[in-house]
Structures are given as structure tokens and as C-alpha cells.
Amino acid sequence: MVERQSLFSFLPHVILLIGIFIVAFPVYVAFVASTWDPATISNGQMPLWPGPHLVENYTQTLFQGTAKSSREPVGMMMLNSLIMALTIAIGKIAISIISAFAIVYFRFPFRMAAFWVIFVTLMLPVEVRIYPTYKIVADLGLLDSYLGLTVPLIASATATLLFRQFFMTVPDELVEASKIDGASAMQFFKDTLLPLSITSIAALFVIQFIYGWNQYLWPLLITTRESMGRPDGVADRHGDRRAGHAAAGAGGDPDAAALRQGPGRDREVRQFR
Amino acid sequence: MSEVVLDKVRKVYAGGVEAVRGVDIHVPAGAFCVLVGPSGCGKSTLLRMIAGLETITGGECRIGARRVNELEPAERDIAMVFQNYALYPHMSVYDNMAYGLRNRGTPKPEIDERVKEAARILEITPFLDRKPRALSGGQRQRVAMGRAIVRKPQVFLFDEPLSNLDAKLRIQMRVEIKKLQRALAVTSVYVTHDQLEAMTLADVLVVMNKGEVEQTGAPLDIYEKPASTFVASFIGAPPMNLVPVEAGENRPKAEGLTGGLGLAVPPGGAILGVRPEHLMVVTGAVPEDSLGITFPVSAVEAVGAETFVYGPIGGTGQDIIARLPGKALLAPGTPVSVAASAEHLHLFDRQTGKRIGP
Ligand SMILES: Nc1ncnc2c1ncn2[C@@H]1O[C@H](COP(=O)(O)OP(=O)(O)O)[C@@H](O)[C@H]1O
Ligand SMILES: [Mg+2]
């Protein structure tokens, strides 16, 4: 019995450890690469142990920009990304929870029409409506601004539908009890609906934050100054052969690994379609 | 404490369903009124119209001297207990009870006092900090009651508040609700489909059927003099035996029936009603004015304190039920004679089902 038990608990651990190793190894290598000087990396023999240039590489990439390519420092770009992702995530949730509230709890003329209009926008992501959206933003003079960067991405049919679905599972009796308890519509929203939606909001926040963080095409279009657009900045950096490998490793680790493969290639496809 | 008056109240839903068809009810101040009827008869709709959760299509609803048709639920000074309790899941028991008072701007010390008082009456003080999901069904029920009583409203409204509880708890809560209502003397309207609950709770019992009131009155009056075959079969368990009879010479005539002298049946025939508990086993001759029924026993159910005896009557194929005290030693297949005295007989119109005598 003892034998079997230890075997049974041992084997899964071995499998898990192998899995962790497979997933973590490339990340580790990327980190190690970021601690060596460009010369060591470019001679093709990747060391497996961290080198002596950790602090130096990171300070340069984050705060000074790489000298050879005269790029903006990555720190600024990441801050921009953070602001953009936060604004988009919070904005999306705020707008969609309010519109779902209106659609589910109020009887107004053309309610279903309004719902379907929101629904249809699911088929119109930024990429499809990019020219008119760009034109509007440009006409409003919002190029190179956080407003222009975020507002066109805030409207969200997905989140509206999700909240609508959730609201429809909230028992009618809760609304009725609130009415009898003398709560107004907005009090019901604030005191009952919002606290009940917390888990949905948290889940949506994560998804929408990542959506905002990974925006690539839109910031590329809407920003003209280097200091504004971060995601493309980072992607360019990876596409740029002149940028040192060390900087590439440091510039967005571990997020950069994904960016290097994804949007980097994506960009060409989208531009030539 | 105010009276509740419904005056020719009607409700037509958007789809054209006429759920309530002209209902007149008068609940005196402080009385406990129970609306009872089968599922779908419009009880909840009626209650929700009093609460202001449904618009009133026609007629008038008054609470005290005020016409409330156009008032919001919060302005009607009512409190409601829902079937599924409708407690706010994210609020503590304390906050659930305090919420309505806070919205009305009641001062904090008074809220605290009232909530604690209600919790003491309902014996839920130990749970004040808990969330509803950490309570049992019975405890949630008490919190829902507490939320109603802290408000000190003019009227309590209950929509089948006990139907989610198990049988034992239901009886216990039924007694407590009655006691509480007596103590607070707040006018109450209570909806249920359970006739036993209705009988035990009501000062004023309203039997509803298909959106209309069949009969209003004290529970025992309704039990003793049901106004129609519907009420007769709905109130009382097991239900009243209803036997179609023809007109004899100053007595009802049907296969298997004897006696009943003096019970005049109109020429077109009628429906004779007799409650199972009013039937007694007889061995000798049945007095002429009593009603005698002879039928072959088809099934016997002994539940200890009493015995239910079933058997087909006459050519109708309809089963008759007799509720006999104690253990009746009857074997299926043997004929039995039972009788009910004259004052326990009811006569209804064959077409309309309305009571015609005695
Ligand atoms: N919102 C609604 N829209 C349309 N018909 C309804 C609605 N609510 C209830 N009804 C109908 O009205 C009738 C009475 O319903 P209800 O008052 O809930 O009955 P009860 O509470 O006596 O079981 C039923 O036939 C039901 O189908
Ligand atoms: Mg109902």
C-alpha cells in the first residue's frame, strides 16, 4: 500500500515538473539573454547562466533607450500601454454595464432595436472600420492623445451582452424587493446589481485589460510621435535587426516573447491585405 | 393599521390574458386575509397589484382612505414577503433588514433599535452578521419576515411564504406568523394554494377561481356552507363527495342512495355534496331525513387516527370517500353502508355549480 501510494503521488509530480520545465525554459533563456552584452549573444553561443550586465541592460532599455537605434526608452512605452489598457478596460466595463442595465431593466421605445444595434457592432471590430474611425479621430484633432487612443476602442458589445446575460439571471424579486424598500432605479443599480456583478466585472477586467494591452494596429495609426505608441514601439524593436538582442530580451520580458511572434508578423499581413 | 379595499379590480396582461376579472374584497383593519385558490387563478397577480408591482387595469385599490392605484410600491406603506424570500445575497442579515429604513432616511440609532427588536422577536439575533447563503431555509424565512416588520408598514403582503419549507417547519412557521400578526395587529394579505394553511391562518378567507372570487367569509363558515362545488371540493381534505342526483318525491334520487327526505331537488336534477368526515358506518336502518349511501369497498387506507374508505357509487363509476374515526375493520370487496345526518348535506346547481340548498 505504502509503495503504491508513493508511486501514485510521485508520477504526477514528475509529469508536472516536466511540464513546468517545458513552459518555463524559453522564458528563462530570454531572461538569461537579457543579462549578457550583445557581443556574447550574437556569437551564437547562448550561455545558460545569467551574465554580469543585468542592471546595465535593464536601466538602458527601460529609461534611456538603446543607443544604436536611438529608440525611446521602453519604460515610457510600457507606461503608455498601462494607461491605455486601464482606460480601455475600465471604460468598456463602465459603458457596457450601464447599457446592459438600461436594456434589461427599462422599457423604452426601440429597446430591442437598440439591443440589436449593439449586437451588430460585434461584427465591426476596429480593423473593419479603421478608416472612418481614423478619419473621425483625426477630424476631432485627437491624434497623438490618450483620448484618441482609447475612446474608439471602448464601446464593447461583448461586455454588454455578458452583463445582459448576467442581469437576466438576477431574480425579478430582488428588483421588486428594492422597489418596496424604497430604492430608486439607480440605487438598485448601485446597492444591489453592482455588488452582485463583482465577479463578472473582475473577469471582464482581466480580459479587457489584456485586449487593451495587446492593441497594435490602432496605436500604430493614431500615434505619430515615438513617445506615444508603445505596443508598436516594442514590436518594431523586435523587428529591428539593429537593436541588440540583449535589448530585445530586456524590452518586454516575458510579454515581448509573444509580441515578437504575434503582432510582428501580423503587421505585414495586415498592411498588405 | 389600515383596511384594504379592492373595488372591481381587474388585470389584463399585455398578452391579453385576463388574470383577474373584477374582484371585490374588503379586509378590515388588523385582519388576516388569506387568498386561496389553485395555481394560476390570479392570487399572486392580485397581491402584486396591491403591492404596486403590477399596474391595475381596472377598478380601484384603497389602503386606508387612500386610493393607491397610481402610487409607487414604496409610497404605499406596505411590506412584502416573497416565496423565494428575495433577500439581498450580498448584504448581511442586519443590512437586509436595515436597507428599507436607510432608503427612507430613518436616523441610524432608530434603525439599529428597530432591527435589533425585530431580530429579537424572530430569534435571529445570532445571525445578524451572516450573509443569507449561510442560513437555513427557515432562518431565511425569518429574515424575510424581519425585513417586513422593521418597516412597521400599514399592510403585510405574503406570497406563498412557506412553500419552500419542509412540512414540519411549515407548520411551525405557520403558527409563528399567526402569532406575530396577532401581536403586531397589522392588516395582512396572504396568498397560498394550501387550503389547510388558509383555514388555519385566515380571519377572512377568500377563495379564488379563474380570476374571480368564488366565496369570501370566515374559514369555518366557508367550510360549513361552501357557495359552490368548486369551493366545496377545494376547501377540506379529502374533498367533499359530490354526487349527481335526480329529483325524487321530496328527496334526492340516485343509485345507492337512501333517505334524504326533505331535501328538495329541482326538476332538472342537482349535485349532492357530503363531506367524507360526516359519513358514519351504520348497521341498522337509516333515519328518513339522514342520507344513506351503500357502496362496495374498493380500497382502505388506515393512517392510525382515522381510516379512509373508498368505493364506487351507483352507476356513475365515481369514487366516494368516507373518513372514519379510528381503525375501521373493513375488507375490500365487501359492501358498506354509511350515513350523514341532514344538517351535513349540501345541494348545488347542476349547471352553474352554485349552492342551492339547504
Ligand atoms: N407577466 C405576465 N404576463 C402574462 N400573463 C401572466 C403574467 N403573470 C401571470 N400571468 C397569467 O395570469 C394568470 C394568473 O397568474 P398568477 O397570479 O401568478 O396565479 P397564481 O399566483 O394564482 O398561481 C396565469 O394564467 C398566468 O399565466
Ligand atoms: Mg403565485
Side-chain angles (χ1 to χ4, degrees):
Chain A
M1 272 316 276
V2 175
E3 293 288 283
R4 264 179 48 167
Q5 258 182 359
S6 64
L7 183 69
F8 271 111
S9 61
F10 179 66
L11 201 62
H13 280 95
V14 169
I15 294 172
L16 285 173
L17 284 172
I18 293 172
I20 289 171
F21 178 76
I22 291 173
V23 172
F25 187 69
V27 180
Y28 173 74
V29 170
F31 170 74
V32 167
S34 74
T35 61
W36 289 93
D37 61 317
T40 318
I41 309 288
S42 29
N43 75 14
Q45 289 184 336
M46 179 68 82
L48 281 182
W49 302 111
H53 300 281
L54 176 84
V55 177
E56 178 193 327
N57 281 351
Y58 277 84
T59 343
Q60 184 168 37
T61 317
L62 285 174
F63 304 112
Q64 288 152 24
T66 40
K68 280 185 205 157
S69 51
S70 65
R71 288 289 190 173
E72 289 288 324
V74 172
M76 183 63 193
M77 298 177 186
M78 291 182 89
L79 183 67
N80 278 339
S81 281
L82 184 70
I83 294 171
M84 180 174 167
L86 279 178
T87 317
I88 289 179
I90 293 169
K92 267 180 186 286
I93 287 169
I95 295 251
S96 53
I97 200 168
I98 291 170
S99 43
F101 179 58
I103 284 172
V104 175
Y105 288 101
F106 293 86
R107 301 282 164 272
F108 52 91
F110 309 113
R111 186 174 67 96
M112 282 322 280
F115 171 70
W116 283 110
V117 168
I118 292 175
F119 191 86
V120 160
T121 62
L122 269 181
M123 294 175 216
L124 300 170
V126 186
E127 287 79 2
V128 176
R129 55 185 164 88
I130 198 141
Y131 178 70
T133 312
Y134 178 83
K135 175 112 175 51
I136 291 170
V137 170
D139 289 351
L140 290 172
L142 293 177
L143 293 181
D144 276 330
S145 71
Y146 286 118
L147 222 54
L149 206 51
T150 53
V151 169
L153 300 179
I154 277 178
S156 171
T158 328
T160 309
L161 291 181
L162 210 124
F163 280 122
R164 173 179 179 266
Q165 234 44 41
F166 171 70
F167 290 169
M168 292 196 334
T169 66
V170 173
D172 286 344
E173 282 85 355
L174 280 187
V175 190
E176 294 171 354
S178 296
K179 278 190 194 168
I180 290 174
D181 271 340
S184 66
M186 285 325 280
Q187 268 174 316
F188 167 68
F189 178 73
K190 178 172 73 71
D191 295 339
T192 305
L193 216 46
L194 216 49
L196 290 179
S197 314
I198 282 297
T199 45
S200 310
I201 292 177
L204 261 176
F205 182 83
V206 171
I207 295 170
Q208 304 294 14
F209 182 86
I210 292 171
Y211 167 86
W213 185 269
N214 286 345
Q215 276 308 308
Y216 174 71
L217 184 60
W218 182 248
L220 191 68
L221 273 177
I222 220 74
T223 59
T224 50
R225 280 184 288 126
E226 277 279 334
S227 60
M228 276 305 294
R230 166 264 165 186
D232 51 315
V234 173
D236 282 350
R237 184 179 297 275
H238 295 306
D240 193 343
R241 291 280 153 222
R242 287 168 306 164
H245 280 97
D253 202 21
D255 179 56
L259 263 178
R260 187 176 348 186
Q261 321 266 291
R265 254 186 284 129
D266 224 354
R267 183 187 186 189
E268 280 151 29
V269 176
R270 281 180 187 154
Q271 273 182 346
F272 292 107
R273 193 154 39 185
Chain B
M1 191 162 75
S2 336
E3 60 176 6
V4 174
V5 180
L6 298 178
D7 190 2
K8 300 192 186 58
V9 167
R10 289 176 61 243
K11 175 70 189 183
V12 182
Y13 276 112
V17 181
E18 191 170 6
V20 175
R21 309 156 185 259
V23 163
D24 294 306
I25 295 175
H26 174 235
V27 187
F32 200 124
C33 169
V34 177
L35 305 178
V36 68
S39 177
C41 71
K43 320 175 286 288
S44 296
T45 305
L46 198 57
L47 192 77
R48 293 163 54 80
M49 284 196 286
I50 302 175
L53 298 171
E54 299 284 354
T55 54
I56 298 173
T57 313
E60 189 174 74
C61 173
R62 289 193 297 274
I63 296 177
R66 281 194 309 168
R67 172 188 158 100
V68 296
N69 287 36
E70 288 78 23
L71 296 185
E72 288 295 318
E75 300 165 336
R76 295 188 183 197
D77 207 0
I78 47 119
M80 185 155 168
V81 178
F82 295 85
Q83 178 170 359
N84 63 6
Y85 318 136
L87 300 176
Y88 307 114
H90 57 290
M91 292 188 200
S92 67
V93 168
Y94 186 99
D95 289 337
N96 261 286
M97 295 205 273
Y99 187 61
L101 295 173
R102 282 190 194 134
N103 286 339
R104 280 172 176 72
T106 314
K108 238 192 175 110
E110 192 184 337
I111 294 180
D112 195 60
E113 192 183 312
R114 285 214 219 169
V115 169
K116 296 227 163 103
E117 168 75 4
R120 191 185 56 74
I121 295 173
L122 293 162
E123 294 165 18
I124 49 175
T125 312
F127 315 124
L128 279 178
D129 293 328
R130 287 203 207 164
K131 295 275 166 65
R133 70 166 172 278
L135 299 177
S136 71
Q139 290 160 349
R140 283 179 211 187
Q141 172 64 51
R142 283 163 193 274
V143 177
M145 300 272 304
R147 188 166 67 178
I149 68 177
V150 288
R151 294 252 318 279
K152 302 196 174 154
Q154 293 297 315
V155 182
F156 284 146
L157 303 174
F158 301 87
D159 193 353
E160 312 216 8
L162 304 183
S163 52
N164 285 355
L165 300 179
D166 60 65
K168 213 168 167 181
L169 208 53
R170 201 176 312 162
I171 295 171
Q172 188 191 336
M173 284 307 292
R174 191 172 81 200
V175 175
E176 288 195 28
I177 288 181
K178 183 74 179 173
K179 270 198 265 179
L180 197 64
Q181 196 271 343
R182 283 256 183 285
L184 302 172
V186 174
T187 316
S188 302
V189 182
Y190 184 107
V191 161
T192 178
H193 64 264
D194 179 347
Q195 60 92 23
L196 190 63
E197 222 169 278
M199 291 293 288
T200 49
L201 286 173
D203 298 323
V204 181
L205 183 57
V206 177
V207 185
M208 289 186 65
N209 183 26
K210 297 194 182 123
E212 288 177 37
V213 171
E214 286 272 340
Q215 190 172 5
T216 309
L220 285 181
D221 291 350
I222 291 180
Y223 173 83
E224 274 159 18
K225 277 204 177 336
S228 64
T229 48
F230 174 82
V231 180
S233 55
F234 195 81
I235 299 293
M240 184 184 280
N241 294 301
L242 295 169
V243 185
V245 290
E246 304 301 331
E249 312 86 47
N250 195 25
R251 66 172 74 202
K253 195 173 78 179
E255 210 180 312
L257 292 193
T258 56
L261 188 66
L263 193 64
V265 176
I271 293 172
L272 179 69
V274 57
R275 292 204 178 273
E277 53 271 40
H278 293 147
L279 292 170
M280 302 293 167
V281 176
V282 284
T283 39
V286 176
E288 267 301 280
D289 65 337
S290 289
L291 182 79
I293 307 175
T294 306
F295 62 93
V297 175
S298 66
V300 178
E301 288 176 352
V303 293
E306 55 203 9
T307 304
F308 299 103
V309 181
Y310 299 79
I313 179 168
T316 60
Q318 191 188 336
D319 256 5
I320 198 156
I321 310 171
R323 180 181 185 173
L324 306 173
K327 282 175 276 193
L329 296 170
L330 292 166
T334 56
V336 63
S337 288
V338 292
S341 56
E343 75 264 25
H344 290 140
L345 301 181
H346 311 264
L347 211 54
F348 302 98
D349 187 280
R350 203 178 252 190
Q351 266 74 44
T352 63
K354 296 282 174 242
R355 183 183 193 88
I356 48 177

